[in-house]
Amino acid sequence: SNSLFMGIEVEFAIQSPEHLPIGLEIAQYLYAVLFTIELICRVGAFGFGFFCGSDWVWAWLDLGIVLISFAEIAGDIVTKVNSAGGAEPSSVGSFTGFKAFRLIRITRLLKTLRMVRIFRFIMALRTLVTSIVFTLRSLFWALTLLVLIVYVFSILLAQAVHNHMLDAKNPPLPEEAIKYFSSL
């Protein structure tokens, strides 16, 4: 449900970047509280050894998500208090960079990966997920090669357009050619 909420929140932020509806802000705070309660319950059940046990990566991810969520909430509160106090947005400029935490919140989506542990009982699905994970390295290098090819051809096309524009004897290029091929 958190992943679905984040998609809805991003869509609303794109549609009206000035402010989010109050319901979305409440849901954001509710998820932060739920994640905190979940983390406290796990530490209560397993002790602080939970952060060093077999699932230590997930434990530290959960802690990071909770800390980032509360840091973002604190930044939102400070921004709202300053704007309610009559401060101009430029005087709160130091907190606009604080919104970068919204990008880091995507790590909350990683919590959905925990479901993979449940799927170990379903052999076919486990085989498929394992195959996908092992092909990611090849996919990375294929995408790197694709980026290099696009970059090389962009250099060639930009150079060709530049050379064409330098020669006064050549007819003028269409605007689209200049728009798309005059720089990298």
Side-chain angles (χ1 to χ4, degrees):
S1 69
N2 180 43
S3 303
L4 181 64
F5 165 73
M6 286 182 68
I8 292 169
E9 182 183 18
V10 167
E11 182 63 29
F12 271 102
I14 290 170
Q15 297 299 325
S16 68
E18 296 85 32
H19 67 284
L20 287 175
I22 190 72
L24 288 178
E25 290 183 21
I26 291 172
Q28 176 185 351
Y29 301 153
L30 182 65
Y31 275 112
V33 169
L34 289 175
F35 287 149
T36 304
I37 291 171
E38 177 189 9
L39 185 64
I40 289 171
C41 288
R42 287 182 181 208
V43 169
F46 301 112
F48 286 104
F50 171 65
F51 291 103
C52 300
S54 62
D55 289 337
W56 66 271
V57 174
W58 295 114
W60 285 102
L61 176 67
D62 288 345
L63 180 65
I65 289 170
V66 167
L67 293 176
I68 288 169
S69 296
F70 279 110
E72 182 184 359
I73 290 170
D76 287 344
I77 290 171
V78 168
T79 301
K80 288 180 186 205
V81 167
N82 284 343
S83 64
E88 293 182 22
S90 61
S91 67
V92 191
S94 62
F95 291 103
T96 57
F98 200 71
K99 295 292 183 183
F101 280 120
R102 289 186 186 261
L103 296 176
I104 299 172
R105 279 191 332 162
I106 292 176
T107 58
R108 290 197 308 197
L109 293 174
L110 292 176
K111 287 183 71 80
T112 59
L113 291 177
R114 297 179 76 167
M115 294 297 290
V116 172
R117 293 188 305 176
I118 295 171
F119 296 141
R120 66 178 162 216
F121 300 110
I122 304 171
M123 195 59 170
L125 185 58
R126 182 178 180 197
T127 303
L128 182 64
V129 169
T130 305
S131 299
I132 291 172
V133 167
F134 285 123
T135 59
L136 288 178
R137 182 175 172 198
S138 299
L139 176 65
F140 170 76
W141 288 113
L143 290 175
T144 302
L145 180 62
L146 181 64
V147 166
L148 286 172
I149 290 170
V150 169
Y151 182 69
V152 167
F153 277 98
S154 67
I155 290 173
L156 290 173
L157 291 172
Q159 185 66 41
V161 168
H162 180 70
N163 289 342
H164 183 84
M165 290 172 38
L166 286 178
D167 192 0
K169 295 182 273 180
N170 289 332
L173 290 172
E175 284 186 38
E176 290 83 17
I178 295 171
K179 179 180 176 183
Y180 294 118
F181 302 113
S182 64
S183 71
L184 291 180

